[in-house]
Amino acid sequence: ATVRTKWLDHLNSFQESTPDVDVQMEEFIKVPGRVEILMLFGSLICVDSFLYMITILPVRFVWSLLLLVLNIVGRRWQQSSPFSFHRRHWYQIIQVTILYTIYRYVLWSISLGKLYHWIRGQTMLKLYFLVAMVEIFDRMLSSLGQDCLESMYWNTVHRPRSSRMVISVGVVGLYAAVHSLLLFVHVVTLHVAMNSTDQVLLSLLISGNFAEIKSTVFKKYNKAALFKIAASDICE
């Protein structure tokens, strides 16, 4: 009788509800909608950053060059004047110079057709390994690139005549070249998968997503870690 009573009490304990459980279930139901709102907001931020690179940055580059030319020919204004050349203008000039250099001397020399057919000739296992490797290095380089750009901006504004300025520009140029090549290979790989007839793209997407879920779903995260994961998914 004692064992039976304890067993019934144990079963009944699972059926007892509290206000906290109801609140947790309500929050759980609200999560998908809030995640979609966060994804939409993050996507708009990504679009804004992309439009800045193709609209505002070229305008600032031309304006910075104009101020530099006026500064060289001898027309100097006070620091408070809107026509004076500041150190921050060097940052826009260096940015566009690096972008053009990567485009003209790195990506332009790559034969898209040869790379496409080389990746297309790989087997399914090699293609899956290539996509997984590219995604891993893409996330690593994204984290590294943000620090490199911030370091270059700080050196440009605070010590433009230092040797560290030259080193930071070289590091950013090397990073941009490597990351651009990596993204170029990723895009071509996805094109190969989309043009295949044996559902390779679907297999790659499903296997990649399940591998990512496997590495994250069984871990406990705090708010900062969850925000980093959400930001990474938004960029992807």
Side-chain angles (χ1 to χ4, degrees):
T2 304
V3 175
R4 179 174 177 275
T5 302
K6 291 183 177 180
W7 178 249
L8 291 176
D9 293 339
H10 178 71
L11 292 178
N12 291 329
S13 64
F14 287 98
Q15 299 178 357
E16 294 179 358
S17 60
T18 60
D20 294 336
V21 176
D22 184 62
V23 172
Q24 292 176 3
M25 285 302 302
E26 183 180 357
E27 294 294 329
F28 177 77
I29 295 174
K30 291 180 180 179
V31 164
R34 293 179 178 177
V35 170
E36 293 300 327
I37 294 175
L38 176 63
M39 290 290 176
L40 178 61
F41 177 72
S43 300
L44 294 177
I45 294 177
C46 292
V47 172
D48 179 73
S49 299
F50 175 74
L51 293 178
Y52 169 82
M53 296 298 294
I54 63 176
T55 56
I56 304 300
L57 183 60
V59 173
R60 289 188 174 183
F61 171 75
V62 174
W63 177 248
S64 300
L65 281 181
L66 178 61
L67 294 180
L68 179 61
V69 172
L70 294 177
N71 185 62
I72 292 176
V73 298
R75 296 183 179 180
R76 298 177 180 272
W77 288 277
Q78 298 179 357
Q79 293 295 326
S80 59
S81 175
F83 299 101
S84 60
F85 185 83
H86 298 277
R87 292 178 178 178
R88 66 176 180 273
H89 293 125
W90 278 115
Y91 185 69
Q92 284 89 27
I93 296 176
I94 294 173
Q95 270 187 307
V96 176
T97 303
I98 291 176
L99 290 175
Y100 178 77
T101 303
I102 298 300
Y103 158 73
R104 183 63 182 85
Y105 298 100
V106 178
L107 298 180
W108 185 264
S109 59
I110 299 177
S111 177
L112 180 60
K114 292 181 179 180
L115 182 61
Y116 177 86
H117 288 290
W118 179 82
I119 295 177
R120 189 175 183 180
Q122 307 301 314
T123 60
M124 173 61 188
L125 181 60
K126 292 182 180 179
L127 194 62
Y128 169 74
F129 174 76
L130 183 62
V131 171
M133 182 180 65
V134 166
E135 290 181 352
I136 292 174
F137 279 100
D138 179 32
R139 295 191 178 187
M140 293 174 60
L141 289 174
S142 297
S143 301
L144 175 64
Q146 187 65 32
D147 295 335
C148 292
L149 290 173
E150 290 179 358
S151 175
M152 187 181 71
Y153 178 78
W154 193 89
N155 287 318
T156 303
V157 175
H158 293 86
R159 44 186 181 186
R161 299 181 181 180
S162 174
S163 59
R164 294 180 65 89
M165 171 63 189
V166 180
I167 295 175
S168 62
V169 173
V171 170
V172 170
L174 179 61
Y175 151 76
V178 174
H179 203 176
S180 299
L181 288 173
L182 191 71
L183 293 176
F184 193 80
V185 172
H186 195 187
V187 171
V188 176
T189 304
L190 293 179
H191 274 283
V192 172
M194 284 188 291
N195 293 330
S196 62
T197 58
D198 52 355
Q199 304 295 330
V200 176
L201 177 62
L202 184 61
S203 302
L204 288 175
L205 294 177
I206 292 177
S207 59
N209 288 332
F210 271 99
E212 185 176 356
I213 291 174
K214 180 181 178 181
S215 61
T216 57
V217 73
F218 298 109
K219 297 180 182 179
K220 186 177 181 180
Y221 294 96
N222 52 18
K223 294 181 179 180
L226 287 175
F227 178 76
K228 290 182 179 179
I229 295 175
S232 177
D233 291 338
I234 290 171
C235 294
E236 184 178 357

